[in-house]
Every structure is written in structure tokens, then in C-alpha cells.
Amino acid sequence: MIAPSPIWEIRSDLPGRVRLRCSGLGDSEALRRHCRTVLTGCHWLEGFRINPMAGSLSLRFPAKRRGGLDALLQLALNLPHGFTALQDISQRAPRSHRTLRHAAFCAGVLGVDWLVGVPLLALQGATALLMLPVVLELLRTLRQRRIVPVEALDLGFSAVLLQQGLPREALMDLALDDGSKILQEVSHHELSRADYRNLISRLAEQETVRTAPDGMEQPIGELHQGARIQLQSGDPLFVPCRIIQGELVAINRQLTGDWHPRQYNQGDALEPGCLVLSGSAELEVLQAFADCPLFQLPPPPPEHGNALTRMAGQRLINPLLFALGSFWALRGSSEQALAAFQFNPINDWETSRNANRLAAAAELRLHGINIANPNVLSDLGRIQRLLISHSCAERLNQIQLSEELAPESTVHHGDLVRILAGVQAFLAQDSTVALCNAQLENVIDPMPVKRLQLHDLNQEGWQVELEDGRRLQVRNGGERNPSGLSRSVVVEPLEFREGEQCLGWVKLKRTPNQGWMQVRQQLEELGIAVTIVGRSVDDPAEASQRLQRLEAYQAEGERVGYLGDVIHDLPALARADVAIGLDFDEAGMLTNKLCDLSLSRDPQWLPRLVVLSRSLQRTADGNAVMIGLTHVLSSVATAGLAISPLQTVLLADIPLLLAELRNINSFRSHTRQASS
């Protein structure tokens, strides 16, 4: 049996299957990513599914492996030190329950009236009280934003109904409005590009380091040049530093995508993006966080003309309709007032379109697709070119390890891979970051490493001392890198030597990911050009060069998407029309928070999402025509006394319901096809 834990709660325990609930899986993006990384690296696990909406995890495994589940879950559902500050960096504010309570009160009053009957005067008083929170919210919006929101029209509509002695119809209208808001809040949180573009500011405020020598926690945004900090195993680094005392082993896949761990000694400089694997040291800050060019992002792309037109229309139409409705209401022309207050087709179309996107985003989260900005479901179908950073393209390929023994080698077949797996296990004792690939994590019996010194693989190499006393040297077995950059993303065979004798080589072969090759072909068939940009080298100008390529295409009038996964991609991701990240492991934790869309390990979702985006846009256009015609007809009929006020309420709200049904049918039919 699985040992009880305060972290999770077992909901279903069947032979070979376990379903549990962990609240952190619903609240923390970082924990979900960490959990996927750990579970993907478990070679005996047959399958798993994370449901972020319910905060649940389902596992399938061989019955004989039940005894190892507790240790696996402890590792998967506990964030390692160093990622706790990042997990809440883009966390939204808690959802307000005011709308839910207000809708419940409206429905409750209507229910009591239906069951036992409420006197008309009491029902009017209750309706007036329930309208008071809407009035207060409207006044707050007017003070803060200086615009007349569409809620003013809804409030005027309900007020006219109440004035005519129709409190039941007014309550129904209030309840329907609340229900629409609740559905949107439950489906997905609203998030605009302006919200998550503040990532860097939040990073500077929330990510902390320990100062030296007192060990006090201080936000990285407050560090100045010359300040002293302390780093130890599991700590990320986001400011350039130089080691004053001590030594560290760190990896910096976040900067360039390079998987090679490197040992840093006194006097060595560390760059932003490093993750400390082992050791401890005191460092001097070389540059303040605010002055680091890697985190000085360009402004987001400007709004397109149709969005600006809608905003301008809303600023003019809402005040005009509110003024006309109020004027007719004061004159006693209730029907004309109702016609003016309920005529808001632009807002209803926007509401339907937004609900369409939010519901689709919530559905896609169940398939491992994280959408931070729901607008991407419209923008993705419009892009004409997709830029993929070189480091991201390399990461999309597969790295396979193969072993070749030297003549008269003293080791057995498979020992060199076991030694390399032992090196990874030695370095990753306090971290789950895979150094080379998940293949090493699946080695059943890695050779225990007692001591390890990491030098340049092109020079001294790695000095490995095994627990059995053998001392080995690991170096690059191919030609030296002509650029002299040992940390560039190169895949060369690793040569193992014991003294003067060569034991053999472990070849790291990049093989094209057939799935991604098909994805590229499918995107081109959809009319989207695919271009690789950048180089996987540690060059300070690399980030600006990638940004310049993207802006050059945008200057030619193209809508450009960008797929990136390292810090060098941050400026281009911030400027792209659609920013896409890879949600594979912790290496992309920071980059993914700047992205509109984060893809899981299934590459086929990208062209499917393009098709889904275009389908949703066609549905939204059809809904706009339906809602617009219905509003025109109902307003004319109401003003001409051809229909009753209750029929006006229903005609104003039924098109929204029909639009929601069309939305659900549109995106669910595509997601069912995609998942099958």
C-alpha cells in the first residue's frame, strides 16, 4: 500500500492503477512541470495523466512495482529547492466569489417566489437590494477606467424592468448575466499580454538570494554591482556573478540549451540562467538585474486595426446607448428605453467569442496544452510564418546514446553508459534536471561515483573516481571545437580513458524527430512558412539577432509566431505575434511564462491548434452575424410594442446560449479528433 502523505490523498486504488488528488497540481504550474519531468523519466511507469482542473493525478504501472510508488510520488510531488520562488511568479489573484454569491441570491429569491409566492413589494425591494452591488461595481469602474462599461447597459435594462413593476424579469436578467460571468471564470482565468509581460518585474521582486555573509534573503532586483551572495545546490541564478570563494557545479540550459555540466572555481564567472547542481560558493554580483540586457524586453506587438476599431466603437456606443436609454426612461418611454439598453451586439459578440476561447483553453489544459493568453486561439490561425530558435530545434531532436568499446578494453559492454549514468546521478542528487537525456535516468544500475571534477571536455575533461577505486578521464572524442566554446551545443562522442588506455566511446547521436518533421510539413501545407533562426552558442549578441530576424519579417507585413525555449529567446518571444514555448522540463520554466502557448511532448498539437484556431474564428464570425441580427430585430420589436418585456429578455439572452452551444461543438469536435 502507498504510505499516507499530507501532500496527496488517494481517491482510487485498484490493481495497477492509482488515482490521487494533490492540491498543488491545480495551483502550481511549476509543480505540474516538475511532476511531468519525474514521471516521464520513470522507465517502469506505463502511463500517467495530470488533470490541472481537478488537481488530480492518475498512474498506470505494473502490479509488481507497487512498492516503489511511494518513493516516486515523494519525488514527483515535492518541488526541489530553487524552484519554490518561481512557481508563483505568474500566479493569478484568487478568483472572487462575489459573482457566485450574487447569482445564488438571485436564483434563491426566484425559487422562493416560484414555490410559495413573494408579495410584489417585497420582491421589488429584494431586487433593488441585489442591484446595489452592481451599482457599486459600476461606480468603481467609472472612477478607475473613466469609461462607461457594458454593465451600465445591463443595469439600466434591469432598472427599467423594475420600474415597470417586473421584478421577476429583472431578477432573471441579473441571474443570467451572473451565470455568463461564472462560466468564463470557471473555464479559464482572464489574462492579457500586458499582465504576463510584467514577468521580469515580478521575477525581480519575488526571486530571492542569500546575501553574504549574513545569509539574509534579498530580492534579486535589489542587488547592486559588487554585492555578495551565497549559492548552493538547487539555487538558480539570474544575475551575472563571479566566484569569490568556494566551487560549484552548474548547468545553464536556460541560456543556450547546452546540457554539459561545468565546474566553476574561484575567479570564474557565472551567467544568468545557471542552475547549481552541487557545491556552495560566495559570489560577487557583476551587474545589477535591471542593467542586464537579456532581461530588457522590447514592447509587445501593437494591437491590430480591428481590435482598435472595436475598442473605439465600445467607447462611443456604450455612452450613447446609455444616454438614450436613460433619456427615454425618464420620459416614461419604457419600451424605447429597453430597446436601447439591450442593444449591445458588439459586447455580446465579444462575450461569446471570449467564452469560446476560454472554454477551449480549459479543454486543452486537460491534454497538456497550457494557454496563458486566450487570444492566441484567434491569433494562431492568422500567423504566416513560424520562427524556431536553433536551440529549440536541437531540443526537438532526439539524443540517442550508443556505446563503442575500444580494442582490448577492460570494461564490459554497457559499462560506459552505466558510468555516465552514475555521473548524472552524482550531480543530480538534489535536482531532477536531466543532464543529457532521459535515457540515462532509466539505467537500472548506474556505477556509483565517489568523486568528480569537471573541467573543459576539450582539454582536461572530467576526472571521475568510482566507488570501486578506479579513476577515469572523460573527454570529447572528436575534433576540438574550432570556436573554442566548449559550452556550445555540440554533440561529440565522449571518450573514456583509464590512465593511458582508451576504454571506448559513448556516442551522442542526434536523430531527427519524425513527429516534428511531419509537423513542419503539415504547417507548410496550412500556408505557414517555417524558418530556423539563431545559433546555439554563448554569444551576447545572439538574443538581439533573433529579435532582429523576427522584426524584419513583421516589417514586411507578416504575422509571425516564435517557438523558443531559452533566455536568448526572451526578446523575440516578447515581440512575437504568438509566443510558443516547450513545456518539457524545468529548463524552460522561465521562458514558458512569457509564452501565449506552451506545448507538451506531443508535437502534433501545433498544426491541430492552427486548424482549431481557424475553426473557432469561423464559428465566432457566424455567431457575430446571428447575434447582430437578433439584436436588431428584438430592439425594433421592443420599441414597436410587438413583444413583451419578458420576450425581450429571452431574445437578448437566447442568442448567447446558442452561440455557446456552437462554440462547444466547434472546439470539442476538434479536440476529440486530435486526442484520438
Side-chain angles (χ1 to χ4, degrees):
M1 295 295 294
I2 300 176
S5 171
I7 302 175
W8 66 80
E9 177 185 359
I10 300 296
R11 292 297 181 88
S12 175
D13 192 353
L14 300 173
R17 288 179 179 269
V18 165
R19 183 170 63 86
L20 57 90
R21 187 180 185 278
C22 176
S23 59
L25 292 175
D27 301 333
S28 172
E29 173 194 347
L31 182 60
R32 292 194 295 270
R33 183 179 293 109
H34 169 75
C35 183
R36 280 196 296 270
T37 301
V38 174
L39 297 181
T40 302
C42 181
H43 66 282
W44 50 263
L45 196 64
E46 294 178 349
F48 66 91
R49 180 182 177 88
I50 299 174
N51 185 338
M53 302 293 292
S56 64
L57 170 65
S58 300
L59 300 169
R60 291 186 292 107
F61 52 89
K64 63 181 181 180
R65 292 286 188 174
R66 176 179 290 273
L69 275 183
D70 184 54
L72 178 65
L73 292 174
Q74 288 286 356
L75 181 62
L77 298 179
N78 286 279
L79 275 174
H81 176 72
F83 293 108
T84 54
L86 285 177
Q87 63 174 318
D88 297 323
I89 194 170
S90 61
Q91 194 171 25
R92 61 188 184 273
R95 185 189 305 126
S96 172
H97 296 280
R98 291 196 301 268
T99 305
L100 180 60
R101 289 196 299 267
H102 189 264
F105 280 126
C106 292
V109 173
L110 285 172
V112 171
D113 178 62
W114 179 73
L115 290 173
V116 299
V118 178
L120 182 61
L121 184 60
L123 196 59
Q124 287 179 323
T127 305
L129 288 175
L130 289 171
M131 290 173 62
L132 184 59
V134 183
V135 174
L136 296 177
E137 184 66 25
L138 174 61
L139 294 176
R140 188 180 303 112
T141 303
L142 287 172
R143 286 196 304 267
Q144 295 176 353
R145 300 173 57 188
R146 304 293 182 183
I147 63 172
V148 179
V150 71
E151 287 78 12
L153 301 179
D154 296 333
L155 182 64
F157 189 86
S158 299
V160 173
L161 291 174
L162 188 62
Q163 181 189 22
Q164 286 188 303
L166 300 170
R168 296 177 182 84
E169 288 79 357
L171 280 173
M172 183 181 296
D173 186 60
L174 290 173
L176 289 172
D177 289 340
D178 289 337
S180 177
K181 295 176 183 177
I182 291 170
L183 285 176
Q184 292 189 36
E185 291 176 355
V186 170
S187 297
H188 198 281
H189 65 282
E190 294 187 19
L191 193 63
S192 66
R193 300 203 89 175
D195 293 329
Y196 64 84
R197 296 301 173 189
N198 294 326
L199 163 73
I200 302 304
S201 299
R202 294 196 298 274
L203 176 64
E205 296 170 358
Q206 298 184 26
E207 178 65 19
T208 61
V209 294
R210 289 176 296 275
T211 59
D214 52 14
M216 300 293 293
E217 297 285 339
Q218 183 175 0
I220 61 175
E222 299 178 6
L223 296 176
H224 57 83
Q225 185 177 356
R228 300 290 182 91
I229 63 173
Q230 301 173 354
L231 290 181
Q232 62 184 24
S233 176
D235 287 339
L237 178 67
F238 294 103
V239 290
C241 294
R242 181 174 59 246
I243 294 182
I244 302 300
Q245 182 180 0
E247 59 181 29
L248 300 170
V249 175
I251 190 172
N252 202 351
R253 280 168 53 186
Q254 291 199 76
L255 183 64
T256 62
D258 180 15
W259 65 270
H260 294 86
R262 181 181 175 186
Q263 184 166 327
Y264 295 85
N265 301 311
Q266 183 175 348
D268 291 340
L270 282 78
E271 296 170 313
C274 279
L275 174 66
V276 179
L277 298 178
S278 62
S280 61
E282 180 178 329
L283 302 93
E284 177 186 9
V285 176
L286 300 178
Q287 190 177 42
F289 181 83
D291 299 331
C292 185
L294 289 173
F295 299 114
Q296 295 177 359
L297 302 184
E303 293 282 353
H304 295 290
N306 54 354
L308 296 176
T309 302
R310 286 195 303 270
M311 292 175 59
Q314 289 288 71
R315 286 182 175 272
L316 294 176
I317 292 176
N318 286 349
L320 177 61
L321 292 175
F322 186 78
L324 285 174
S326 301
F327 173 74
W328 281 324
L330 293 175
R331 289 191 58 185
S333 302
S334 300
E335 289 76 15
Q336 287 81 358
L338 288 175
F341 284 131
Q342 70 95 26
F343 185 75
N344 52 358
I346 295 180
N347 175 75
D348 282 355
W349 174 70
E350 288 280 351
T351 301
S352 172
R353 188 192 61 163
N354 291 338
N356 184 8
R357 299 172 180 176
L358 296 175
E363 178 83 8
L364 290 170
R365 287 182 66 190
L366 300 177
H367 298 278
I369 309 298
N370 184 51
I371 295 179
N373 180 12
N375 289 334
V376 72
L377 290 172
S378 295
D379 299 336
L380 186 61
R382 299 193 185 106
I383 64 171
Q384 300 159 288
R385 184 177 298 273
L386 177 65
L387 302 184
I388 304 178
S389 71
H390 187 276
S391 54
C392 192
E394 293 291 340
R395 191 177 174 201
L396 297 177
N397 291 333
Q398 299 172 336
I399 298 181
Q400 298 295 331
L401 304 181
S402 61
E403 184 180 277
E404 180 182 347
L405 299 181
E408 301 180 0
S409 176
T410 59
V411 298
H412 299 92
H413 183 73
D415 284 352
L416 299 184
V417 173
R418 292 176 57 208
I419 293 172
L420 195 58
V423 170
Q424 171 161 301
F426 180 86
L427 292 174
Q429 291 175 1
D430 299 320
S431 173
T432 60
V433 177
L435 303 184
C436 176
N437 68 349
Q439 186 175 346
L440 290 181
E441 297 180 352
N442 298 334
V443 175
I444 298 177
D445 54 345
M447 286 194 179
V449 174
K450 180 179 181 180
R451 190 174 291 107
L452 177 66
Q453 290 185 337
L454 300 178
H455 302 291
D456 195 316
L457 283 171
N458 289 326
Q459 299 178 16
E460 300 96 330
W462 299 349
Q463 308 298 322
V464 183
E465 182 179 350
L466 302 178
E467 289 286 356
D468 59 10
R470 286 186 294 172
R471 297 175 182 269
L472 308 177
Q473 181 188 40
V474 182
R475 297 181 52 189
N476 276 335
E479 297 181 357
R480 292 181 175 236
N481 184 4
S483 65
L485 296 173
S486 63
R487 300 170 64 194
S488 61
V489 180
V490 293
V491 182
E492 298 177 351
L494 296 177
E495 182 182 77
F496 290 72
R497 305 187 70 88
E498 185 174 14
E500 297 297 325
Q501 183 183 10
C502 177
L503 302 178
W505 302 267
V506 171
K507 297 181 179 179
L508 290 77
K509 181 182 179 182
R510 285 197 194 276
T511 59
N513 188 318
Q514 296 297 324
W516 277 102
M517 293 177 65
Q518 295 176 5
V519 165
R520 180 168 185 169
Q521 180 180 357
Q522 293 170 0
L523 289 174
E524 292 175 346
E525 292 174 354
L526 291 171
I528 300 175
V530 180
T531 306
I532 306 296
V533 297
R535 302 167 299 158
S536 293
V537 296
D538 186 5
D539 185 352
E542 183 64 22
S544 61
Q545 291 174 1
R546 299 182 186 190
L547 174 62
Q548 290 170 5
R549 287 286 302 277
L550 181 138
E551 290 179 332
Y553 288 117
Q554 289 179 328
E556 297 174 359
E558 294 187 5
R559 294 197 179 192
V560 184
Y562 192 93
L563 177 59
D565 68 329
V566 295
I567 292 178
H568 279 319
D569 295 320
L570 288 179
L573 287 169
R575 186 65 178 175
D577 294 286
V578 176
I580 307 172
L582 294 177
D583 195 9
F584 286 3
D585 52 35
E586 286 92 341
M589 178 176 290
L590 175 63
T591 312
N592 273 332
K593 294 183 181 298
L594 267 180
C595 294
D596 305 309
L597 166 69
S598 293
L599 296 175
S600 62
R601 291 184 178 271
D602 183 2
Q604 298 293 336
W605 271 107
L606 187 53
R608 293 169 186 165
L609 289 173
V610 173
V611 175
L612 175 62
S613 172
R614 295 174 179 177
S615 173
L616 293 178
Q617 187 60 42
R618 288 192 297 269
T619 303
D621 293 340
N623 289 341
V625 175
M626 178 183 65
I627 292 172
L629 289 176
T630 305
H631 270 272
V632 171
L633 294 176
S634 63
S635 296
V636 172
T638 302
L641 304 179
I643 58 176
S644 67
L646 179 59
Q647 291 172 322
T648 302
V649 172
L650 295 176
L651 284 176
D653 293 317
I654 285 178
L656 286 177
L657 177 61
L658 295 177
E660 291 302 320
L661 293 176
R662 295 184 74 237
N663 293 338
I664 292 172
N665 180 69
S666 176
F667 76 78
R668 286 202 171 172
S669 61
H670 281 80
T671 52
R672 280 197 299 265
Q673 294 173 7
S675 59
S676 62

